[in-house]
Amino acid sequence: MQRGETCLAKASFLFVKIAMVSTPFLTSRSQSRRQTPHSGYHWGGDRQRFFEGWYYRVTLPQERQSFAFMYSIEDPVGGQPHSGGAAQILGPDDEYFCRTFPDVQQFWAWPNALGLGHWTSSPKTFQKPQSPGYLEPDTFNTSISEGYQGTATQHQGKLADPSRTNSSPTVQWSYQIQPIYGWGNPTSPQQSTAGWLSQFQIFEPGWQILMAHGLASGWIDWHGQRYEFQQAPAYAEKNWGGAFPQKWFWVNCNAFDGEPDLALTAGGGRRSVLGQMEEVAMIGVHYRGKFYEFVPWNSQVKWAIAPWGSWKMIAKNSRYRAELTATCDRSGTPLRAPTLDGLTFCCRDTMTGQATLTLYDQQSNLPILNATSSLAGLEVGGQHWNGVWVG
């Protein structure tokens, strides 16, 4: 990998070491059907350069705000220059918060399902030393002074700002998640976002939408302001690998005006495939129980993405056509992502983008849906943004 090959999209991805704990039994067959490929932790225990990152998002339509939680682990074997983990949060009005977790021994993740967590130190309340692993929510709340844990159905954490004299947590959260869509038609086996070849790890990095749409109920305390919510739109994704795209873009929204059963994720990047660079992009839409997929192996996908402020995509196949336009008049917030030099600021995000999505039937040329939102997640990242990227 050349030194110029920087981070990957989704200020939503990050890094650390696996505790090979057993995975609790999935609570229902419907949840099991919604588990996507690549939900488990990918690190194989070797010393090669490696990162894995997870992204949880909750959107609060009434408040016109969103919370994006980004967790990462890097070089989990430990003892390497960039070994460690991090938790980043993009909060109301795109406000940024970040805490690092240097001790990879305090990280855990399930190998066969979505489940991960990181503590700053082992709980003193435990009567005997315990390896990091999933804790019941009440136990986590009373035992962990600082850290986080998340699964497909539950997410909680508490983080403090060390620059403040008050040692109480600055940000706390706890909510339950009801998965609605994974990645694919809900009545069929769920799909790999990058196709079946992604099981061979020939793409750098790997990318998987874990939950295109779900409903979250609970609370988030942000610097003393408490947000309580019921059945708020929720989303989750992840990425992993040893190399990073040179540049990328991303659009996500599942809080469209008047369309509670609509979820969009689109993105593209210049990535490595078996040592060669390629440019690819995709659009995925879940709408009223059906999945509309526009990917390189079944569709034509075109895009024009500005260094910031404008995202335009058109994708079509023999049956459907999708047109996506997104804009942002804010400056966006710089976020960290994995690079050859560790976790560095190399991408820019907003959770308050304006998005318009139109889906057409190709045979009749009539629209299946036409939806708008002012709560879209938008991102660009990487290098070589010298002008509008047309692909």
Side-chain angles (χ1 to χ4, degrees):
M1 182 175 63
Q2 299 300 311
R3 208 156 167 79
E5 294 178 14
T6 346
C7 11
L8 178 241
K10 231 32 327 342
S12 355
F13 20 128
L14 312 43
F15 356 119
V16 181
K17 176 172 184 177
I18 185 170
M20 299 298 287
V21 296
S22 61
T23 303
F25 183 76
L26 291 171
T27 57
S28 72
R29 287 185 179 182
S30 61
Q31 288 179 12
S32 178
R33 285 199 305 267
R34 293 187 184 100
Q35 177 168 297
T36 63
H38 303 295
S39 291
Y41 187 38
H42 286 77
W43 184 54
D46 54 48
R47 303 184 65 85
Q48 293 182 338
R49 191 79 168 90
F50 179 84
F51 79 92
E52 193 149 352
W54 296 261
Y55 180 93
Y56 287 79
R57 182 184 178 194
V58 175
T59 304
L60 308 181
Q62 291 187 341
E63 289 82 2
R64 315 303 298 171
Q65 299 289 358
S66 292
F67 291 86
F69 301 83
M70 295 154 274
Y71 306 125
S72 61
I73 188 69
E74 193 169 18
D75 292 343
V77 69
Q80 304 301 305
H82 305 302
S83 292
Q88 302 178 79
I89 305 176
L90 195 59
D93 298 317
D94 292 343
E95 185 179 355
Y96 179 68
F97 186 84
C98 179
R99 291 287 283 129
T100 58
F101 294 82
D103 187 357
V104 298
Q105 301 294 332
Q106 299 297 332
F107 176 83
W108 65 268
W110 292 336
N112 299 314
L114 174 57
L116 70 148
H118 210 162
W119 308 335
T120 52
S121 59
S122 297
K124 296 180 180 179
T125 55
F126 290 165
Q127 295 181 354
K128 60 181 180 179
Q130 178 171 326
S131 298
Y134 177 78
L135 300 174
E136 291 299 323
D138 289 344
T139 303
F140 179 95
N141 188 52
T142 57
S143 302
I144 302 302
S145 60
E146 188 171 14
Y148 67 85
Q149 66 176 16
T151 70
T153 58
Q154 187 261 341
H155 183 210
Q156 69 185 125
K158 55 179 77 171
L159 300 175
D161 185 346
S163 67
R164 299 192 177 193
T165 56
N166 186 348
S167 60
S168 61
T170 304
V171 183
Q172 297 187 73
W173 62 96
S174 180
Y175 60 85
Q176 303 297 311
I177 305 168
Q178 176 190 349
I180 304 298
Y181 295 122
W183 191 249
N185 286 307
T187 58
S188 303
Q190 297 303 282
Q191 302 174 198
S192 297
T193 303
W196 68 273
L197 284 172
S198 61
Q199 66 183 301
F200 301 111
Q201 193 55 37
I202 64 174
F203 306 118
E204 289 288 0
W207 181 40
Q208 179 70 50
I209 283 77
L210 298 166
M211 182 181 67
H213 182 52
L215 299 175
S217 298
W219 56 270
I220 300 171
D221 190 298
W222 182 258
H223 302 286
Q225 182 172 353
R226 187 178 178 93
Y227 295 83
E228 297 186 356
F229 46 89
Q230 293 291 324
Q231 296 192 322
Y235 172 83
E237 69 172 49
K238 70 180 300 185
N239 38 43
W240 67 95
F244 314 103
Q246 290 182 339
K247 61 192 295 188
W248 69 85
F249 62 90
W250 175 84
V251 180
N252 168 254
C253 185
N254 60 345
F256 285 91
D257 302 331
E259 292 285 2
D261 194 5
L262 171 60
L264 159 77
T265 302
R270 181 178 295 157
R271 66 181 182 182
S272 173
V273 181
L274 298 176
Q276 302 296 317
M277 300 304 296
E278 71 169 6
E279 294 185 356
V280 293
M282 55 75 66
I283 297 175
V285 177
H286 290 81
Y287 181 57
R288 298 185 180 180
K290 189 170 183 178
F291 180 49
Y292 301 86
E293 182 186 39
F294 302 88
V295 287
W297 55 89
N298 69 18
S299 306
Q300 294 179 331
V301 185
K302 299 181 180 180
W303 64 91
I305 314 297
W308 182 254
S310 176
W311 293 253
K312 296 180 180 179
M313 298 183 70
I314 296 177
K316 62 182 179 180
N317 54 38
S318 60
R319 300 184 63 187
Y320 305 106
R321 182 173 83 255
E323 298 182 2
L324 170 63
T325 300
T327 59
C328 180
D329 55 9
R330 294 187 177 188
S331 60
T333 300
L335 295 176
R336 295 174 171 93
T339 73
L340 288 177
D341 298 316
L343 196 64
T344 61
F345 287 104
C346 63
C347 54
R348 184 174 297 273
D349 279 56
T350 183
M351 296 291 106
T352 58
Q354 306 283 334
T356 299
L357 171 66
T358 307
L359 184 66
Y360 293 92
D361 181 285
Q362 281 283 73
Q363 302 302 318
S364 65
N365 202 35
L366 295 176
I368 298 171
L369 71 89
N370 190 343
T372 61
S373 176
S374 58
L375 294 171
L378 306 175
E379 180 178 86
V380 296
Q383 298 179 333
H384 312 298
W385 285 92
N386 301 320
V388 176
W389 178 14
V390 177

